[in-house]
Amino acid sequence: FDDKELAKKMKDQLSWLEKNKPKLKDLKPVDHSKMDYEPFRKKFYIESPEVAMMTPEEVKEMCKKELDNVRVRGRNCPKPVKKWTHCGLPKKIYRTLERL
């Protein structure tokens, strides 16, 4: 796609989403205590071995030099990833990112 085609496609998709999104009043409240959900793994992100081996000093240096001195606050924050492949995404997503 060139920029104009991509812009038109995105505009068409946004237009479709706006027309087809459910109205808030149409949504019925859900009593989750009565739902029988399948169990799922709550830890969605698993560090790649390369990221896991980064020392706190390496993380600080990366944040300072490669990430424009970004600051991260909080408890148990994940380390920054160096490559898309560290994110654990499906191959189809990687192929899409390569085309962009």
Side-chain angles (χ1 to χ4, degrees):
F1 293 110
D2 64 18
D3 289 342
K4 287 182 182 179
E5 288 177 314
L6 184 59
K8 182 181 179 339
K9 186 174 183 174
M10 289 176 66
K11 185 177 179 183
D12 292 345
Q13 289 174 344
L14 287 173
S15 176
W16 183 88
L17 286 171
E18 281 297 317
K19 285 186 229 171
N20 294 299
K21 76 176 182 180
K23 305 282 187 261
L24 196 53
K25 64 182 176 187
D26 295 342
L27 298 176
K28 296 176 184 164
V30 176
D31 183 356
H32 295 282
S33 65
K34 295 180 180 177
M35 300 300 292
D36 185 27
Y37 294 115
E38 286 189 37
F40 63 94
R41 179 177 46 97
K42 293 181 184 177
K43 188 175 180 182
F44 297 106
Y45 172 68
I46 299 171
E47 285 182 334
S48 71
E50 187 177 341
V51 172
M53 290 188 318
M54 288 174 65
T55 66
E57 292 78 26
E58 289 173 319
V59 171
K60 254 186 207 178
E61 193 67 24
M62 183 178 177
C63 289
K64 186 176 182 180
K65 289 188 176 179
E66 297 177 36
L67 300 174
D68 294 327
N69 208 24
V70 70
R71 294 182 188 183
V72 179
R73 292 186 293 200
R75 294 183 305 189
N76 300 322
C77 297
K79 296 174 185 174
V81 296
K82 295 180 180 181
K83 305 174 193 171
W84 281 107
T85 54
H86 293 162
C87 296
L89 300 170
K91 289 181 182 180
K92 185 175 181 180
I93 302 289
Y94 293 130
R95 285 194 294 270
T96 302
L97 290 171
E98 287 173 353
R99 286 183 284 177
L100 297 177

